[in-house]
């Protein structure tokens, strides 16, 4: 099995350690019911040597070429895999994808019987978008945080500015660490290119986006950073909803208090 060879690569092993830790956080948070959520990492820059071509694997033509991912190497969780299983062994519950030299085709190495996440079109198109931005972001994390999803079931919160203002006003850390707030993606069928495209539009001005009545997706320099951004915004949602449950509406930080909370 070719993943044995990948396990021996030090840089990949280190990246997979972070995947395991993050998958454990997602499970412990209660955001990863059954196979909920998936993640991908562009490993190309992490691997110092050009990676030898895969041999024991299968090839697939992409419905849409990703030229900026030519010769790149991605990791993505396998469809149906539980985050609590990814936490135990990301190699056993994930796939490695190597793109050809035009980005029109890729070779996939997966443990026997596993296929890449059903959100693969979204991960590939977003990974290509991140490349085009040249911001050093390599990681994409999708998960199902309860309170943020709950807010997306209520029409007034389906307004990007309104929702971001509420969430950034719940505690200074939200403003400090997720200053761009949250982007909004109107409901689209999971696993579709339409969802991918709508997500990319929202990522132009945000690092975290809310998929209406489904979940959240974040991008960043590593998967733990993606997790932190979602965790902060979901904590804001929890504070907001806790106040509502106690019978009052949270005041939120004042304009002055927000202005005094500069990002680090
Ligand atoms: P996969 O198991 O195919 O990754 O799907 C999980 C999910 O959350 C889909 O949005
Ligand atoms: Zn999902």
């Amino acid at each position: 099995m070719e993943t044995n060879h990948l396990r021996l690569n030090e840089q990949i092993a280190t990246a997979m350690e972070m995947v395991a830790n993050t998958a454990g956080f997602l499970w412990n948070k209660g955001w990863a019911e059954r196979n909920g959520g998936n993640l991908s990492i562009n490993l190309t820059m992490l691997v110092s040597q050009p990676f030898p071509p895969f041999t024991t694997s299968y090839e697939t033509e992409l419905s849409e070429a990703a030229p900026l991912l030519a010769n790149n190497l991605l990791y993505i969780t396998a469809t149906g895999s539980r985050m609590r299983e990814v936490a135990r062994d990301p190699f056993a519950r994930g796939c490695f994808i190597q793109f050809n030299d035009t980005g029109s085709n890729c070779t996939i190495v997966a443990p026997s019987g596993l296929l890449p996440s059903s959100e693969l079109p979204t991960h590939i198109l977003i990974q290509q978008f991140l490349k085009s931005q040249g911001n050093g972001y390599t990681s994409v994390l999708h998960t199902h945080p309860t309170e943020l999803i709950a807010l997306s079931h209520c029409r007034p919160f389906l307004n990007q500015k309104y929702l971001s203002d509420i969430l950034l006003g719940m505690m200074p850390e939200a403003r400090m660490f997720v200053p761009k707030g949250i982007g909004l993606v109107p409901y689209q069928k999971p696993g579709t290119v339409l969802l991918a495209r709508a997500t990319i539009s929202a990522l132009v001005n945000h690092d975290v986006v809310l998929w209406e009545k489904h979940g959240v997706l974040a991008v960043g320099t590593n998967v733990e950073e993606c997790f932190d951004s979602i965790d902060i915004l979901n904590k804001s949602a929890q504070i907001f909803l806790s106040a509502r449950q106690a019978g009052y509406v949270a005041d939120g930080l004042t304009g002055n208090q927000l202005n005094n909370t500069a990002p680090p």
Side-chain angles (χ1 to χ4, degrees), residues 33-39 76-83 115-120 123 142-144 190-191 195 211 214:
E33 72 295 333
R34 198 176 184 277
N35 61 313
N38 32 70
L39 61 89
I76 185 164
T77 47
T79 187
S81 55
R82 290 158 171 80
M83 283 298 161
L115 292 170
S117 167
S118 57
E119 302 288 2
L120 182 64
H123 282 272
H142 161 57
T143 186
H144 298 169
L195 177 59
W211 287 351
H214 177 166

